[in-house]
C-alpha cells in the first residue's frame, strides 16, 4: 500500500467518523432511539451520549491529520484503533444484553473493517521499519 493509498484510507476513515458524528452528535436523540429503540429523555444520559459521539467527531479530525502524513501520525491511528475496538466490544455487549438493536452492526462492521485496514497499515509501516 503506497502513501497515496494510506492518504485515501485515512480520508475515508475521517468521512466514516464524520458521518457517525453528524448523526450522533448533531442529532443525538434520534441516533439514540435508532440504536436502542427507546427515547432519550434523561438530560444526564443525553449529555453523556452526545459526549461519546463528540469523541467520534474528534476521531474525524484525527484521521484528517493522519491523511496529511500517514507515516508521521501513526500514534493517532493507535489511539483510534483502541477506540474502535472498545466501541465494537461495547456495542456487541449491549446487543447481547438486549439493550442495542441490530442497527449497531452497521457500526460494528464498519469499524471492524477499518481495524483490519489499520492492521495492514501498521504491518506495512513495520515492514518498512518506520515503527
Amino acid at each position: 500500500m503506497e502513501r497515496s493509498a494510506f492518504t485515501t484510507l485515512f480520508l475515508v476513515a475521517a468521512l466514516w467518523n464524520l458521518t457517525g458524528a453528524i448523526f450522533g452528535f448533531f442529532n443525538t436523540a434520534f441516533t439514540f432511539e435508532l440504536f436502542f429503540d427507546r427515547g432519550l429523555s434523561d438530560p444526564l444520559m443525553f449529555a453523556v451520549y452526545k459526549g461519546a459521539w463528540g469523541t467520534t467527531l474528534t476521531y474525524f479530525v484525527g484521521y484528517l491529520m493522519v491523511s496529511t502524513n500517514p507515516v508521521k501520525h501513526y500514534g493517532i491511528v493507535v489511539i483510534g484503533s483502541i477506540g474502535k475496538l472498545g466501541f465494537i466490544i461495547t456495542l456487541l455487549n449491549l446487543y447481547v444484553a438486549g439493550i442495542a438493536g441490530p442497527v449497531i452492526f452497521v457500526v460494528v462492521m464498519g469499524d471492524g473493517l477499518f481495524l483490519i485496514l489499520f492492521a495492514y497499515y501498521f504491518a506495512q509501516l513495520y515492514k518498512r521499519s518506520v515503527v
Side-chain angles (χ1 to χ4, degrees):
M1 187 178 266
E2 296 301 315
R3 182 178 173 142
S4 64
F6 286 152
T7 296
T8 301
L9 169 62
F10 293 109
L11 285 173
V12 172
L15 290 174
W16 170 255
N17 282 270
L18 179 61
T19 302
I22 286 171
F23 284 102
F25 188 79
F26 297 107
N27 201 351
T28 307
F30 169 80
T31 304
F32 187 88
E33 189 167 336
L34 181 67
F35 277 32
F36 304 108
D37 197 29
R38 64 189 72 174
L40 182 57
S41 58
D42 182 307
L44 177 59
M45 192 64 184
F46 184 92
V48 169
Y49 190 70
K50 186 173 187 167
W53 281 106
T55 301
T56 302
L57 190 56
T58 302
Y59 287 136
F60 159 70
V61 174
Y63 294 132
L64 275 181
M65 288 176 60
V66 174
S67 74
T68 66
N69 190 337
V71 174
K72 177 181 177 185
H73 297 299
Y74 68 88
I76 294 171
V77 185
V78 170
I79 300 302
S81 297
I82 293 167
K84 287 194 177 305
L85 181 60
F87 200 47
I88 289 169
I89 291 168
T90 298
L91 288 176
L92 290 174
N93 283 333
L94 291 171
Y95 181 78
V96 168
I99 297 170
V103 73
I104 61 104
F105 286 102
V106 172
V107 177
V108 168
M109 297 301 290
D111 278 359
L113 176 61
F114 280 108
L115 277 178
I116 291 167
L117 294 171
F118 291 174
Y120 179 73
Y121 156 80
F122 283 119
Q124 292 303 306
L125 289 181
Y126 182 77
K127 181 178 169 183
R128 297 175 184 170
S129 301
V130 177
V131 289

